[in-house]
Amino acid sequence: MTDALKRLSDEGVAIWLDDLSRKRITSGNLAELIDQQHVVGVTTNPSIFQKAISSGDGYQQQVADLAARKVTVDEAIRMITTADVRDAADVLRPVFDATGGQDGRVSIEVDPRLAHHTAPTIAEAKQLAWLVDRPNTLIKIPATKAGLPAITEVIGLGISVNVTLIFSLERYREVMDAYLAGLEKAKAAGLDLSEIRSVASFFVSRVDTEIDKRLEKLGTDEAKALKGKAALANARLAYQAYEEVFSSDRWAALDKAGANKQRPLWASTGVKDPAFKDTLYVDELVAPGTVNTMPEATLEATADHGEITGDTVRGRYAVAKADLDAIAALGISYDDVVQLLEDEGVEKFEAAWNDLLKSTEAELKRLAPSEG
């Protein structure tokens, strides 16, 4: 075992785990990861909850109680998922306190079926914040067009947000703008800006998956030479945008009022292509003030053989732009790719949520007490 995770942390990268289940909490595994593997946060999504709850491990008693109360399946899922997030937040509370609220965070997503509806997303975010009732929670809102005004409104209410499903550089700039607008609303309302936190989840591996598929189809040597370059280039240029926005005059006024920067979070950092090193999206995205949320397999791989060699983002912007330009020159449309990935991302989370609804409904019926 190397101590690559410690080196990563020392470089200013917050290590978060992209997974949560009741068993992970009750077994002490989450506490162990915090203690031994430098994990300082947890992210969840509908797919993660679907997998955890469908396993049934640790959920049976609560589902039986909910069945006895004859709650709806939607309410049951919210009671189950918020219980997990609340308990995980309590496990992470010492990290939250030690980092002044920067880390020790647990994310929970608004119902993905609301991704294209602004007002219900705002209402759901408020409800989730109230239900979990922990200061170290982040409410996940997707970076769809409808999600952007919701982000502004929710931040303006003083609720901390994890913006998810960001694929494009243009949309990322819109997300940062929505965050700043929210802080300005919060400031006008007299709220304490120092208590509001946000991360922007910029997705990585899926960009390579889609672009590399198109490069492979072209089949030329030039196309093949660009495989595995798009995702890193995209993420590095996102960090460049972050540096620009958070050194602007607009930000300076908010900074003076005690606001916190919205940190870039590298999401989807598990490598999909077996031809690539399994720690590629960790080793090559090291920059201060970032978060890398990893599936457990990636966390273990990084601990075992990650190569943390210092900052691998800044100073590489020109190469990153050249790589994306070279891909575009081959006729692969960046705009087409990122829109497809956003649409697919929303669809995948919605499908996982629907699967979760079905499996939970079946369990509620199975465990319902017989009448009499």
Side-chain angles (χ1 to χ4, degrees):
M1 276 285 182
T2 67
D3 209 350
L5 292 172
K6 182 180 187 303
R7 289 202 298 279
L8 188 62
S9 184
D10 290 345
E11 289 289 342
V13 180
I15 299 163
W16 290 9
L17 177 71
D18 192 27
D19 189 55
L20 186 64
S21 68
R22 190 156 297 177
K23 187 180 180 185
R24 193 181 285 285
I25 298 165
T26 57
S27 68
N29 173 259
L30 178 58
E32 193 177 275
L33 291 173
I34 295 163
D35 186 49
Q36 297 177 15
Q37 301 282 53
H38 308 280
V39 169
V40 293
V42 169
T43 49
T44 64
N45 62 46
S47 301
I48 286 169
F49 274 130
Q50 193 271 330
K51 184 181 168 190
I53 295 168
S54 297
S55 76
D57 208 344
Y59 296 98
Q60 194 157 339
Q61 185 57 59
Q62 187 181 10
V63 175
D65 291 344
L66 291 165
R69 289 174 47 213
K70 295 184 169 62
V71 303
T72 65
V73 65
D74 284 270
E75 186 184 348
I77 287 170
R78 274 308 176 212
M79 297 308 290
I80 294 164
T81 57
T82 53
D84 279 0
V85 169
R86 192 181 308 115
D87 289 346
D90 288 344
V91 175
L92 279 152
R93 185 60 191 261
V95 177
F96 174 81
D97 293 337
T99 60
Q102 173 153 281
D103 288 306
R105 296 273 176 177
V106 187
S107 299
I108 184 168
E109 191 136 2
V110 296
D111 185 331
R113 295 171 296 179
L114 306 177
H116 300 297
H117 306 281
T118 303
T121 292
I122 295 165
E124 170 100 343
K126 287 157 69 176
Q127 172 75 354
L128 284 173
W130 176 83
L131 263 176
V132 176
D133 193 27
R134 294 293 185 271
N136 51 329
T137 310
L138 291 169
I139 307 302
K140 288 180 88 173
I141 297 175
T144 55
K145 278 293 185 188
L148 295 170
I151 292 157
T152 295
E153 189 66 28
V154 172
I155 290 288
L157 294 169
I159 296 169
S160 294
V161 172
N162 175 344
V163 183
T164 187
L165 290 176
I166 308 170
F167 295 95
S168 84
L169 295 166
E170 182 185 358
R171 183 58 53 83
Y172 179 42
R173 286 184 180 275
E174 291 174 336
V175 165
M176 290 187 283
D177 181 71
Y179 175 61
L180 297 185
L183 289 176
E184 286 158 355
K185 286 189 82 160
K187 185 183 174 188
L191 299 181
D192 182 354
L193 299 192
S194 70
E195 293 188 357
I196 303 170
R197 297 278 181 173
S198 184
V199 293
S201 296
F202 199 86
F203 278 55
V204 183
S205 66
R206 295 185 195 181
V207 174
D208 270 344
T209 301
E210 183 58 34
I211 286 183
D212 287 358
K213 186 168 69 179
R214 298 182 186 207
L215 290 168
E216 190 66 42
K217 197 173 177 183
L218 289 173
T220 64
D221 289 344
E222 189 184 7
K224 287 177 182 175
L226 288 165
K227 283 183 70 178
K229 293 190 173 179
L232 292 175
N234 201 37
R236 286 168 177 157
L237 293 176
Y239 193 84
Q240 182 183 36
Y242 158 78
E243 287 191 308
E244 285 172 16
V245 169
F246 289 99
S247 59
S248 65
D249 291 343
R250 184 184 182 191
W251 167 248
L254 290 163
D255 184 39
K256 197 174 175 184
N260 300 292
K261 291 178 181 178
Q262 181 187 54
R263 288 185 292 171
L265 178 151
W266 310 128
S268 180
T269 54
V271 171
K272 309 284 195 292
D273 188 336
F276 300 157
K277 189 186 175 194
D278 55 2
T279 60
L280 176 69
Y281 304 126
V282 179
D283 298 349
E284 296 297 329
L285 289 176
V286 178
T290 58
V291 180
N292 195 313
T293 186
M294 308 177 202
E296 190 169 24
T298 305
L299 182 75
E300 288 174 353
T302 303
D304 184 63
H305 52 263
E307 296 177 70
I308 310 304
T309 56
D311 190 330
T312 48
V313 173
R314 293 181 297 182
R316 303 192 185 192
Y317 302 146
V319 173
K321 187 176 184 308
D323 284 342
L324 288 190
D325 286 348
I327 290 164
L330 294 176
I332 294 171
S333 167
Y334 177 85
D335 291 343
D336 179 64
V337 167
V338 293
Q339 188 58 56
L340 174 74
L341 290 172
E342 180 186 304
D343 294 343
E344 281 183 353
V346 171
E347 285 166 14
K348 282 175 183 173
F349 282 170
E350 195 171 326
W353 195 259
N354 286 331
D355 286 345
L356 179 54
L357 285 167
K358 286 175 196 163
S359 57
T360 303
E361 187 171 35
E363 280 295 279
L364 286 168
K365 283 177 180 169
R366 187 177 71 82
L367 295 169
S370 54
E371 296 296 329

